[in-house]
């Protein structure tokens, strides 16, 4: 089973981070948050968006991008950005442990970082007249594409009704 690591670089909106935490809990992905954040981790909006899944998370905090890089020196990172020249669907195979990084809601990832890692920058296609998708939606798209390519290994693929049989 592929190990997905979601990296949020300086997230600003607590509801987005809470929604992403819920996605992590539902998929088994680990969450990495690089400070500074635009909110306090005990923000009630953050907790509300993540519901009661906080105890089911593998979450790590870093003081800076340099701190993250020093603690994850072998990480294979894909940088999700509207500025990338190719679509995320062009990645044929992800490594067994993959990191997907997303930038802050207002500005995305630093352009210097993108330029230094241009072969690992990907985008989610969208109309060119809009700035970007919502951060938590973008994370969900990326995570489920990785899981799809891994045949959803380790996840429950069938649900059940409470009063009826399928």
């Amino acid at each position: 089973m592929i190990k997905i690591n979601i990296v949020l670089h300086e997230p600003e909106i607590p509801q987005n981070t809470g929604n992403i935490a819920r996605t992590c809990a539902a998929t088994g992905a680990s969450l990495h948050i690089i400070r500074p954040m635009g909110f306090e981790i005990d923000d009630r909006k953050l907790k509300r968006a993540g519901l009661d899944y906080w105890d089911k998370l593998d979450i790590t905090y870093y003081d800076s991008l340099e701190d993250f890089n020093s603690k994850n020196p072998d990480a294979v990172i894909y940088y999700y950005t509207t500025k990338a020249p190719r679509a995320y669907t062009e990645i044929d195979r992800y490594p067994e442990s993959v990191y997907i990084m997303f930038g802050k809601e207002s500005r995305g990832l630093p352009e210097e970082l993108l330029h230094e890692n241009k072969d690992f920058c990907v985008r989610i296609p969208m109309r060119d007249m809009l700035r970007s998708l919502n951060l938590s939606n973008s994370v969900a798209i990326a995570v489920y594409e990785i899981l799809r390519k891994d045949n959803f290994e380790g996840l429950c693929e069938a649900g059940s009704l409470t009063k009826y049989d399928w």
Side-chain angles (χ1 to χ4, degrees), residues 3-11 14-25 27-34 37 39 41 46 50 53-54 56-62 68 72 98-102 135-136 139 143:
K3 176 62 180 147
I4 301 172
N5 295 277
I6 299 168
V7 183
L8 302 181
H9 182 260
E10 302 180 0
Q15 295 92 329
N16 282 335
T17 300
N19 287 335
I20 292 164
R22 188 173 181 176
T23 297
C24 289
T27 61
S30 294
L31 181 58
H32 303 261
I33 298 179
I34 301 172
M37 298 181 294
F39 51 88
I41 206 61
L46 177 72
Y53 298 136
W54 288 104
K56 296 164 182 59
L57 284 178
D58 173 22
I59 186 166
T60 307
Y61 299 94
Y62 304 89
F68 170 82
N72 299 282
V98 64
Y99 290 74
I100 54 176
M101 186 179 288
F102 299 84
L135 177 61
S136 63
V139 169
V143 167

Side-chain angles (χ1 to χ4, degrees), residues 88-89 91 94 140-150:
Y88 71 103
T89 53
I91 300 168
Y94 288 92
I141 289 168
V143 167
Y144 274 90
E145 174 66 4
I146 294 168
L147 292 170
R148 183 190 68 80
K149 288 187 175 189
D150 198 41

Side-chain angles (χ1 to χ4, degrees), residues 26-99:
T27 61
S30 294
L31 181 58
H32 303 261
I33 298 179
I34 301 172
R35 295 180 178 105
M37 298 181 294
F39 51 88
E40 294 298 321
I41 206 61
D42 61 352
D43 188 300
R44 69 177 177 79
K45 292 176 185 169
L46 177 72
K47 288 187 178 181
R48 181 174 181 205
L51 296 176
D52 56 351
Y53 298 136
W54 288 104
D55 63 332
K56 296 164 182 59
L57 284 178
D58 173 22
I59 186 166
T60 307
Y61 299 94
Y62 304 89
D63 291 327
S64 65
L65 185 57
E66 294 75 21
D67 184 32
F68 170 82
N69 288 331
S70 71
K71 292 177 179 168
N72 299 282
D74 299 323
V76 177
I77 306 169
Y78 285 89
Y79 302 86
Y80 277 72
T81 173
T82 59
K83 299 167 182 157
R86 68 180 179 142
Y88 71 103
T89 53
E90 294 179 41
I91 300 168
D92 292 326
R93 184 172 205 94
Y94 288 92
E96 287 299 312
S97 180
V98 64
Y99 290 74

Side-chain angles (χ1 to χ4, degrees), residues 9 65 77-85 101-104 107-123:
H9 182 260
L65 185 57
I77 306 169
Y78 285 89
Y79 302 86
Y80 277 72
T81 173
T82 59
K83 299 167 182 157
M101 186 179 288
F102 299 84
K104 62 173 72 181
R107 292 193 305 253
L109 291 165
E111 285 198 5
E112 180 180 0
L113 177 66
L114 300 176
H115 185 262
E116 291 169 356
N117 297 283
K118 62 184 173 187
D119 293 338
F120 291 90
C121 292
V122 293
R123 66 178 282 121

